[in-house]
Amino acid sequence: MSTPPPDIPRLSPAGAARTGTGLHRPECVLATRAGDLYCADWRGGVTRIHPDGTQTAYLGHEIDGEVLKPNGIALRADGSFLIAHLGAQTGGVFALERDGRVQPLLRTVDGLDLPPTNFVLPDARGRLWITVSTRQTPRALGYRHDVADGFVVLIDARGARIVADGLGYTNECLVDRDGAFLYVNETFGRRLSRFAIRPDGSLGARETVARFGAGTFPDGLAQDVDGDFWITSIVSNRLIRVGRDGAQSVLLEDADPARLDAVEDAFQQHRMGREHLDTVHGHTLRNISSLAFGGPDLRTGYLGCLLGDTLATVRMPVAGLPPLHWNHA
């Protein structure tokens, strides 16, 4: 894996600022033009960090005797949220109103009850893209490079259907700035893949954009104004820039080499489990899982995480693309 080009200095985890306090598994983060941040909240919804630093929690009622377990979240124009529910046994996508009302949006697809659900992404054409990482129970059985049973669901005017299957632990996805391709992180398949989006919403064959090596488990995914991609790697706390040609450079890393080697060995020996994700292996960062570009110039990087109660923020070397929700309140 290459080092950053000379004009892009490597970022220091020790220099990261902090935003928010007392957060609960802020795995996914959204930023808006107004300066608000919205974070997944494991207590059952979304926490909003206002520009003045105050916080508001929007928590919903229980689903099947369990509070919502938001992994991916999306902000809609009317102020409500979409929640990808990472339930203990079941998943689905739910709409959460700010007064706590919860309505199911999708619980089954193609005759399948949705397993714990990872991510939900609205696009500019009003469609929803949803990822499910694995069909394995427990999900840790999917933490293997030889398991590929994740999939992508599309909801559009025709309804909901699986449009890509057989993926190596499907994680965050994005529709590129031209609307031509769906890009998908395969965490334990260790690759960034893409699919051409056809006019009817169906997808072309999978193309591999980048493969990742030891210690990299791609999770979060964002695109910058140059058209390049930014990957957050769980466990190794890496922030990686991936060019459209697949070239990679690590801009940030915070991992203890010995512990990272131990996780890598467990992965190669098919022994990787929750304990490898639920233990902090960095000195400063707490298992970063996503990236949101924000700030007035879209050059502040807000890093979601699995284990911290605050967001690390870094000054990015390039601006991000404005997300679809950029002008939402």
Side-chain angles (χ1 to χ4, degrees):
M1 190 174 294
S2 65
T3 57
D7 60 334
I8 301 181
R10 190 156 174 150
L11 304 174
S12 168
R18 296 287 165 176
T19 300
T21 59
L23 304 178
H24 299 262
R25 197 180 181 272
E27 199 277 351
C28 184
V29 183
L30 310 175
T32 69
R33 180 191 293 275
D36 290 295
L37 299 173
Y38 295 91
C39 310
D41 188 321
W42 209 236
R43 295 175 300 171
V46 175
T47 286
R48 177 185 185 179
I49 305 173
H50 301 266
D52 65 1
T54 59
Q55 297 178 187
T56 303
Y58 307 112
L59 305 180
H61 63 70
E62 292 185 352
I63 300 296
D64 300 332
E66 179 183 34
V67 297
L68 281 173
K69 296 297 186 184
N71 202 68
I73 62 173
L75 174 62
R76 300 201 285 187
D78 66 0
S80 65
F81 306 95
L82 296 177
I83 305 291
H85 176 49
L86 200 68
Q89 300 295 330
T90 62
V93 176
F94 295 84
L96 170 66
E97 302 289 341
R98 298 197 181 195
D99 62 5
R101 287 177 294 154
V102 176
Q103 294 293 330
L105 182 73
L106 185 70
R107 303 207 69 180
T108 63
V109 63
D110 294 347
L112 172 71
D113 290 336
L114 278 175
T117 305
N118 188 283
F119 193 67
V120 56
L121 175 79
D123 73 11
R125 295 183 58 179
R127 302 173 295 196
L128 291 178
W129 303 90
I130 298 159
T131 67
V132 172
S133 298
T134 181
R135 294 174 168 90
Q136 300 294 309
T137 303
R139 297 173 78 241
L141 295 175
Y143 299 176
R144 296 169 53 136
H145 51 73
D146 62 342
V147 173
D149 61 355
F151 56 93
V152 178
V153 175
L154 171 65
I155 303 179
D156 63 7
R158 295 173 50 195
R161 58 201 182 276
I162 295 173
V163 289
D165 207 341
L167 304 181
Y169 211 85
T170 332
N171 218 303
E172 287 199 16
C173 66
L174 66 78
V175 175
D176 73 342
R177 59 183 179 180
D178 301 319
F181 290 92
L182 179 74
Y183 285 77
V184 181
N185 269 337
E186 298 182 64
T187 300
F188 297 111
R190 280 189 162 165
R191 60 182 167 239
L192 172 63
S193 300
R194 75 174 189 177
F195 302 83
I197 304 173
R198 300 185 180 117
D200 65 354
S202 63
L203 300 178
R206 177 173 58 192
E207 304 173 35
T208 298
V209 178
R211 293 187 182 275
F212 302 101
T216 296
F217 302 95
D219 189 334
L221 178 60
Q223 191 173 26
D224 66 31
V225 292
D226 293 334
D228 294 333
F229 300 93
W230 292 83
I231 307 288
T232 55
S233 167
I234 53 173
V235 181
S236 55
N237 288 310
R238 287 174 180 161
L239 180 60
I240 304 167
R241 188 178 190 177
V242 177
R244 284 162 290 173
D245 60 357
Q248 303 171 36
S249 56
V250 177
L251 271 290
L252 178 70
E253 180 175 347
D254 184 15
D256 177 86
R259 291 184 179 181
L260 190 57
D261 286 346
V263 174
E264 181 65 25
D265 181 67
F267 178 66
Q268 295 298 336
Q269 298 299 320
H270 299 163
R271 294 184 291 102
M272 191 170 183
R274 281 302 318 178
E275 66 273 17
H276 298 102
L277 302 187
D278 292 342
T279 304
V280 175
H281 297 287
H283 300 288
T284 301
L285 302 179
R286 296 293 180 260
N287 212 349
I288 61 172
S289 53
S290 65
L291 168 70
F293 284 96
D297 56 1
L298 281 161
R299 285 190 58 186
T300 300
Y302 297 95
L303 298 172
C305 63
L306 299 178
L307 301 178
D309 60 1
T310 186
L311 304 177
T313 67
V314 293
R315 184 66 176 168
M316 300 295 290
V318 64
L321 284 176
L324 187 64
H325 58 259
W326 184 237
N327 292 312
H328 295 350

